[in-house]
């Protein structure tokens, strides 16, 4: 039964968003007498990312509607979309250009830097930093978390410390007087922790990409670390690399 249902979903016999037969219907179709056995098959399909089970409603073929995400381009000075009059930051402008509706929920705070962040910012362990925590939504569905960490000497007295969704052409760092001229990216693909699963409303079996970007100023000092958690079912990550 597992193989047949999997093949039916992948072949399009069951369309995205379509409800699968009920447990009772599947028991009858496959001449099975054990409900737990059928439920185990549905759980296996959910762990493979093929179905989503909704309490008291049944199991549905999982729908995918990813956005194109260009981490190597959206912050680059020559390709940013947050131009004068856009009213959106670079990420939101990229999403809107794809015909989708972006929204961000932002909280600003100061807190001790996690050890991994302190090391990247060349700060002593436990040093207080400014943090802008973003929950990024597309069409009202959580798509990313993006937490940016700044040394206080960079953030204090600048728009970085202002709560809310701020759209400044060229980005917050340039407005704060610390334009970034070089980036170092690290990408890890893993399963989400419980907090990430809750914040992003992730169904079981959804891996995430953890994208960590460290930005440097013209003096080669690290001035920001942004950690983005991007669910694998909601993103097509694209990098373009010049051969010149």
């Amino acid at each position: 039964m597992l193989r047949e249902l999997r093949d039916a979903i992948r072949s399009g016999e069951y369309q995205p968003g379509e409800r699968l037969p009920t447990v009772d219907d599947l028991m009858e179709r496959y001449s099975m007498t054990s409900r737990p056995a059928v439920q185990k098959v549905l759980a296996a399909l959910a762990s493979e990312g093929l179905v989503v089970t909704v309490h008291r409603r049944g199991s549905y073929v999982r729908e995918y509607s990813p956005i194109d995400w260009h981490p190597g381009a959206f912050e680059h000075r020559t390709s940013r979309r947050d131009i004068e009059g856009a009213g959106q930051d670079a990420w939101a402008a990229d999403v809107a250009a794809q015909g989708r509706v972006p929204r961000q929920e932002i909280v600003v705070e100061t807190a001790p830097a996690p050890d991994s962040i302190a090391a990247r910012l060349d700060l002593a362990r436990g040093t207080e930093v400014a943090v802008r925590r973003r929950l990024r939504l597309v069409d009202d569905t959580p798509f990313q978390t993006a937490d940016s960490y700044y040394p206080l000497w960079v953030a204090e007295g600048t728009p970085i410390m202002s709560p809310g969704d701020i759209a400044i052409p060229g980005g917050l760092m340039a407005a704060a007087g610390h334009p970034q001229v070089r980036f170092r990216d690290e990408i890890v693909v893993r399963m989400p922790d419980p907090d990430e699963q809750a914040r992003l409303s992730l169904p079981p079996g959804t891996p995430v990409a953890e994208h960590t970007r460290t930005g440097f100023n013209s003096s080669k000092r690290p001035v920001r670390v942004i950690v983005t958690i991007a669910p694998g079912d909601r993103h097509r990550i694209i990098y373009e690399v010049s051969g010149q």
Side-chain angles (χ1 to χ4, degrees):
M1 181 172 71
L2 175 60
R3 179 177 296 176
E4 291 184 24
L5 286 174
R6 182 191 294 123
D7 290 346
I9 292 170
R10 289 177 173 169
S11 70
E13 181 179 339
Y14 293 113
Q15 291 293 306
E18 183 177 350
R19 183 180 177 181
L20 294 180
T22 65
V23 171
D24 289 339
D25 289 341
L26 290 171
M27 289 174 63
E28 181 178 351
R29 179 180 300 182
Y30 292 98
S31 302
M32 300 179 68
T33 58
S34 171
R35 290 182 65 86
V38 176
Q39 291 167 340
K40 186 176 180 180
V41 168
L42 295 174
L45 292 172
S47 70
E48 294 176 15
L50 294 175
V51 306
V52 174
T53 298
V54 181
H55 183 57
R56 294 184 177 179
R57 291 178 56 190
S59 295
Y60 296 79
V61 178
R62 193 162 172 178
E63 296 184 86
Y64 292 89
S65 186
I67 61 170
D68 289 346
W69 185 38
H70 300 260
F74 86 96
E75 282 193 309
H76 196 279
R77 283 173 293 175
T78 62
S79 57
R80 297 182 67 106
R81 291 184 185 270
D82 54 346
I83 58 176
E84 191 73 41
Q88 298 170 316
D89 70 9
W91 175 83
D94 275 354
V95 172
Q98 297 175 53
R100 312 289 289 274
V101 180
R103 180 166 64 85
Q104 301 186 78
E105 299 174 0
I106 302 174
V107 175
V108 180
E109 62 183 4
T110 58
D115 289 352
S116 62
I117 301 298
R120 289 178 173 87
L121 288 174
D122 198 20
L123 299 173
R125 189 174 185 178
T127 299
E128 292 270 318
V129 295
V131 190
R132 287 181 66 87
R133 302 190 189 278
R134 296 177 179 90
L135 175 63
R136 291 170 163 169
L137 301 97
V138 177
D139 302 329
D140 283 329
T141 297
F143 261 61
Q144 292 182 357
T145 61
D147 296 341
S148 295
Y149 300 84
Y150 309 84
L152 291 181
W153 62 267
V154 169
E156 287 185 329
T158 76
I160 290 170
M161 301 301 296
S162 301
D165 193 355
I166 302 172
I168 299 178
L172 282 175
M173 292 300 291
H178 300 281
Q180 300 164 102
V181 300
R182 182 172 69 87
F183 300 103
R184 182 177 187 270
D185 285 3
E186 305 165 59
I187 300 175
V188 175
V189 178
R190 57 175 175 79
M191 297 306 293
D193 64 30
D195 179 63
E196 292 163 345
Q197 192 166 13
R199 284 185 76 189
L200 290 163
S201 302
L202 299 179
T206 306
V208 297
E210 179 183 295
H211 177 270
T212 302
R213 168 169 290 175
T214 304
F216 299 84
N217 64 12
S218 58
S219 299
K220 301 182 180 180
R221 295 187 69 181
V223 290
R224 186 194 69 168
V225 174
I226 178 170
V227 180
T228 303
I229 305 300
D233 64 336
R234 300 168 199 180
H235 294 83
R236 184 182 298 107
I237 301 176
I238 300 172
Y239 275 90
E240 295 187 21
V241 180
S242 173
Q244 300 299 318

